[in-house]
Amino acid sequence: MAKADRTATMSRLHSAARLARTALAARLLAHGFYAGQDQIMLALDREDGQTPGTLADRLGVRPPTITKTINRLQAQGFLDKRASNSDARQAHIFLTDSGREMIMAIEKSVKKTEKQALKGLDKKDQKALYKLLARVEANLSGAEVMVEEEPEAEE
């Protein structure tokens, strides 16, 4: 592949990621969420009671960023911060009942954005794109490609 083609591919990848995030952010804002807050909410939905450090590691952000976002979500009534039973200096973050109720709205926003992004791609193309993006992620993270069964593609 020619050098110009490689930079064009990176440009397209960057542009698509930015546009996807912008479209999702607009949907989430309608529910009172700002960029990045959805990821914390979904991570806690998968495993409630994580520490801020664990959340930061799993989401690939710096601890101060997580702390600021957690504080905002706590002020909105979606999260609760509790001291650890074994170490009072360590906090664990939990979804509140209000936070749990918002998970469905977040998931619906993600699904609608995915549907918009994949419009016009058949299931075969969606599956190929999923695998290609998994390869790109692995290449950029230095990890091995771990492509399990991808989520059900929509047409």
Side-chain angles (χ1 to χ4, degrees):
M1 178 183 282
K3 185 177 180 181
D5 291 342
R6 284 195 304 267
T7 58
T9 300
M10 284 305 296
S11 179
R12 285 281 173 132
L13 182 60
H14 184 273
S15 179
R18 182 181 47 78
L19 289 168
R21 192 69 198 150
T22 300
L24 179 58
R27 285 186 174 91
L28 291 171
L29 191 56
H31 300 287
F33 290 99
Y34 295 98
Q37 291 180 327
D38 58 312
Q39 295 301 306
I40 292 173
M41 297 285 290
L42 293 172
L44 290 170
D45 185 51
R46 286 188 294 276
E47 183 184 336
D48 215 8
Q50 296 180 61
T51 65
T54 302
L55 282 167
D57 287 345
R58 289 185 178 167
L59 299 176
V61 297
R62 295 180 36 231
T65 303
I66 284 288
T67 301
K68 183 191 279 187
T69 307
I70 287 169
N71 289 339
R72 285 183 180 156
L73 287 166
Q74 187 177 16
Q76 290 173 275
F78 298 132
L79 300 182
D80 187 30
K81 205 184 306 184
R82 301 180 208 152
S84 170
N85 292 333
S86 59
D87 182 354
R89 297 170 298 174
Q90 183 68 268
H92 292 268
I93 312 303
F94 295 86
L95 289 169
T96 62
D97 290 339
S98 178
R100 281 187 210 300
E101 290 173 10
M102 294 306 297
I103 293 298
M104 190 176 291
I106 292 169
E107 289 174 338
K108 189 174 181 180
S109 295
V110 170
K111 270 288 193 213
K112 282 184 173 183
T113 304
E114 183 176 287
K115 187 173 182 178
Q116 178 186 3
L118 299 177
K119 185 179 175 183
L121 299 179
D122 63 24
K123 288 187 180 194
K124 182 179 173 186
D125 288 340
Q126 290 180 32
K127 186 175 183 177
L129 178 61
Y130 180 87
K131 288 181 177 181
L132 290 168
L133 289 174
R135 164 56 74 190
V136 170
E137 282 181 313
N139 290 344
L140 293 173
S141 70
E144 286 189 37
V145 179
M146 298 288 287
V147 179
E148 297 173 10
E149 193 58 34
E150 67 276 352
E152 191 62 33
E154 294 186 19
E155 287 189 56

